[in-house]
Amino acid sequence: MWLPGLPWALALLVTAASSGPSAEPPDPASIFADLSPAELRAVRTFLMERPELGLSPSQGGPLAKNSLFLVELLPPKKRWALRFLEHGGARPRREARAVIFFGAQAEPNVTELAVGPLPRPSSYRHLPFRAGRAVPFWARPMTRREYELLHQALVAALAPLEPLLREATGFGFQNCSGRCLTFSDVAPRGLGPGERRSWLVIQRFVEGFFLHPAGLEVLLDHRDPDPRRWAVRQLWYDGRYFGSVRELAESHARGALPLARLPEPPTRQLFSSYEPRGRFPGGTAAEPPGARLCEPQGRRYRLRGNRLEYGGWSLAFRLRSSAGLQLFDVRFGGERVAYELSVQEAVAFYGGHSPAAMQTKYMDAGWAMGASSYELAPGVDCPESAAFLDAHHLLDADGPVRFRRALCVFELPTGVPLRRHFDSDFQGGFHFYAGLEGRALVLRTTSTVYNYDYIWDFLLYPNGVLESKVHATGYIHATFYTPEGRRYGSRVHSHLLGNIHTHLVHYKVDLDVAGSGNSFETMDIRFENISNPWSAGAR
């Protein structure tokens, strides 16, 4: 955003200082705590009331508007945080990071602001991006409103294909009731700067619709902020490209188009459903319950706000809306070993024969991995005895949204001793046996980004080891099967190709072992061919 005639440095409201009754000082870890619902509302109210920003509600209305997309904590700079944590310096100013879509101006863009001080914001400043350049409006993340308009544009554009779709799939877009088609979009949305055109994979809307492509993929250009100017640029159907909806519809009407007819989905035990099938062969008529985790003497960890303590461990944590779980001020035995450990990005690159498959290169932070942390199920996602924590996000919404049970904490028997030794006397007896139980504390959340469910864990071990772990589950990202597609994946069902792909998971690791002035290096091992000093002639 560019504000002509107004300095970026200041948009100040004078607020009266108030003094309240003395209270216990907040935990130092709270400088890293996520914004509370009250703070999120305060930031939104402050920005909405600034006339120079001209903000409109996020939901509804046109795309060509100024709207608040995201509000989350802006962590303090490390030097300020350490001055406070280590040397008793002033508490860092608490600020929010706000992402605004400026679509209602001559040069639409995406702008980031720092807003503070919290809890009563009175000013904002511009957070520059790459030498002061603005993020172009066409590069913004998708919003709920744009998806609504995308669906409307797709349904209208594909109306001439309704006979084809009904005949081939038994499903449609028009007056479809319980037999509707839907779509999944892929990214990036173009092949170069300035483009915003998405390949949309048409799918039957049944449980696990990710595994039910209809054989049709549509390239829809939606760069213009006015949806009336959006247009279908290309189509792909069962291995063939078409330049327009009309061309494909006429080919079908003439009987010149071989149809990829899909079988009728069963009403029960659809292969893509999560309906349990089969039974655990335990040899008994009634299936016994599986193992359960218990804490016979209660929890051995301590949660105080966003501070977590376990054994010799102490750390602060937050669930960042944009990217996910972050740890700060990680200490073992009272000594800081890391200033920050955090999830940054999850990337997936795909190959395929269809245009959507070959175009797919997901960067999942663009779908706000932290704000995709939906409710964890006790006994499945986390043990029933775990501590569950809620999260609050303000993302593409007109107020904070509560995400129940977004995180959990639990102690886990690892099933492997932390260390053990059986000291044999080599005469059928032993001198001693010693062992330590293997246990770890787990801090967990999930991110459901379209088809994938990422399970993010940080594990704390009593011997000073910290492990980061991610599990990928959910559904595969799949496309319509064609014989040519076999070069780029495996046929996993009659009309389904599991596309070849690779995952890259990125973490930020800021180690403070022995202080913040340390360095990092890697060492390689090489073979050295030397004379054997105790056996002449041998090497």
Side-chain angles (χ1 to χ4, degrees):
M1 174 193 174
W2 309 112
L3 296 179
L6 180 73
W8 268 113
L10 191 63
L12 184 63
L13 292 177
V14 178
T15 57
S18 61
S19 59
S22 60
E24 182 181 345
D27 191 299
S30 63
I31 66 173
F32 304 112
D34 280 314
L35 302 184
S36 68
E39 289 175 317
L40 292 169
R41 281 190 290 268
V43 172
R44 182 181 183 276
T45 299
F46 170 72
L47 293 175
M48 294 294 290
E49 291 176 350
R50 304 308 304 152
E52 70 276 8
L53 299 180
L55 297 181
S56 300
S58 297
Q59 301 306 306
L63 293 178
K65 64 181 178 182
N66 298 347
S67 62
L68 179 62
F69 177 68
L70 169 68
V71 178
E72 63 181 4
L73 175 74
L74 179 63
K77 291 188 178 298
K78 182 178 180 179
R79 63 178 181 274
W80 298 343
L82 291 183
R83 195 176 299 152
F84 168 69
L85 296 170
E86 295 281 303
H87 308 294
R91 190 178 187 86
R93 171 183 167 112
R94 188 160 168 84
E95 293 184 308
R97 169 181 174 248
V99 177
I100 299 178
F101 293 171
F102 286 107
Q105 56 187 41
E107 296 184 25
N109 64 82
V110 180
T111 297
E112 294 192 11
L113 304 178
V115 184
L118 298 176
R120 290 176 292 276
S122 59
S123 64
Y124 64 80
R125 71 180 190 278
H126 182 213
L127 294 174
F129 171 75
R130 290 189 181 175
R133 290 184 296 141
V135 178
F137 194 62
W138 51 260
R140 69 193 183 280
M142 292 287 289
T143 61
R144 184 183 308 171
R145 181 56 178 159
E146 188 167 5
Y147 274 121
E148 291 171 355
L149 296 171
L150 204 64
H151 182 263
Q152 294 172 16
L154 181 69
V155 170
L158 297 190
L161 297 181
E162 192 72 8
L164 183 159
L165 294 170
R166 291 282 183 179
E167 185 179 350
T169 71
F171 287 58
F173 283 110
Q174 312 288 334
N175 303 316
C176 53
S177 185
R179 299 176 65 83
C180 294
L181 292 170
T182 186
F183 71 89
S184 291
D185 57 322
V186 305
R189 305 181 189 280
L191 301 175
E195 296 184 7
R196 193 173 180 85
R197 47 180 185 159
S198 301
W199 277 103
L200 311 178
V201 180
I202 309 303
Q203 298 151 325
R204 296 200 286 190
F205 190 53
V206 296
E207 184 175 349
F209 63 88
F210 305 106
L211 305 187
H212 293 270
L216 177 63
E217 298 179 2
V218 180
L219 180 62
L220 199 151
D221 189 334
H222 53 113
R223 171 173 175 163
D224 198 294
D226 186 349
R228 293 173 296 182
R229 298 192 179 97
W230 294 356
V232 171
R233 300 302 183 193
Q234 268 194 89
L235 303 96
W236 179 93
Y237 181 72
D238 193 23
R240 295 175 56 189
Y241 285 89
F242 297 86
S244 67
V245 172
R246 180 179 178 180
E247 180 187 352
L248 177 55
E250 290 180 349
S251 178
H252 172 250
R254 294 194 310 269
L257 181 72
L259 283 186
R261 300 180 188 274
L262 302 183
E264 180 70 12
T267 56
R268 290 191 66 254
Q269 295 194 346
L270 182 64
F271 78 92
S272 59
S273 78
Y274 267 68
E275 181 181 352
R277 295 181 284 278
R279 57 183 298 273
F280 188 83
T284 59
E287 206 171 289
R292 289 288 187 271
L293 184 66
C294 68
E295 298 168 316
Q297 295 182 341
R299 293 169 177 168
R300 302 201 304 167
Y301 57 91
R302 186 180 182 189
L303 272 170
R304 292 182 296 160
N306 71 315
R307 179 182 291 280
L308 178 60
E309 296 173 336
Y310 173 70
W313 289 100
S314 172
L315 57 87
F317 66 92
R318 65 178 288 233
L319 185 60
R320 179 172 43 165
S321 300
S322 53
L325 204 54
Q326 284 186 297
L327 309 184
F328 287 100
D329 193 24
V330 181
R331 300 174 183 239
F332 184 73
E335 181 181 354
R336 181 180 301 107
V337 294
Y339 177 76
E340 179 183 351
L341 297 172
S342 59
V343 179
Q344 296 289 313
E345 182 62 272
V347 182
F349 294 95
Y350 284 79
H353 178 249
S354 77
M358 67 179 70
Q359 177 69 1
T360 301
K361 302 166 189 67
Y362 286 131
M363 300 181 71
D364 288 335
W367 277 267
M369 291 191 296
S372 303
S373 49
Y374 301 104
E375 185 171 0
L376 298 168
V380 179
D381 295 319
C382 311
E384 294 164 331
S385 60
F388 291 88
L389 303 170
D390 295 347
H392 295 85
H393 301 290
L394 202 164
L395 173 86
D396 191 21
D398 290 318
V401 177
R402 178 189 180 195
F403 286 65
R404 287 174 46 84
R405 294 176 170 168
L407 303 100
C408 70
V409 181
F410 57 94
E411 189 177 15
L412 177 73
T414 62
V416 178
L418 184 65
R419 59 178 298 196
R420 56 97 65 193
H421 179 64
F422 179 88
D423 200 71
S424 173
D425 65 3
F426 302 103
Q427 296 179 15
F430 64 95
H431 299 299
F432 70 87
Y433 165 82
L436 293 174
E437 292 178 279
R439 299 187 182 278
L441 190 75
V442 181
L443 174 61
R444 172 173 293 174
T445 189
T446 61
S447 301
T448 300
V449 187
Y450 267 76
N451 53 300
Y452 273 120
D453 290 62
Y454 296 104
I455 302 173
W456 305 97
D457 288 350
F458 282 108
L459 295 92
L460 308 176
Y461 295 88
N463 61 345
V465 171
L466 189 152
E467 180 183 9
S468 62
K469 184 182 291 187
V470 60
H471 309 261
T473 179
Y475 288 99
I476 60 173
H477 176 65
T479 54
F480 196 74
Y481 171 79
T482 61
E484 296 83 357
R486 290 288 291 270
R487 287 179 52 118
Y488 309 99
S490 302
R491 189 177 191 174
V492 295
H493 208 264
S494 58
H495 292 82
L496 192 64
L497 185 75
N499 295 82
I500 187 172
H501 62 282
T502 186
H503 290 274
L504 302 176
V505 177
H506 298 253
Y507 291 85
K508 178 179 179 181
V509 182
D510 182 2
L511 296 179
D512 273 6
V513 177
S516 59
N518 52 31
S519 60
F520 177 81
E521 66 179 17
T522 61
M523 300 180 69
D524 282 336
I525 298 174
R526 65 179 175 86
F527 287 103
E528 187 179 18
N529 192 2
I530 64 172
S531 298
N532 189 325
W534 51 267
S535 180
R539 298 185 68 80

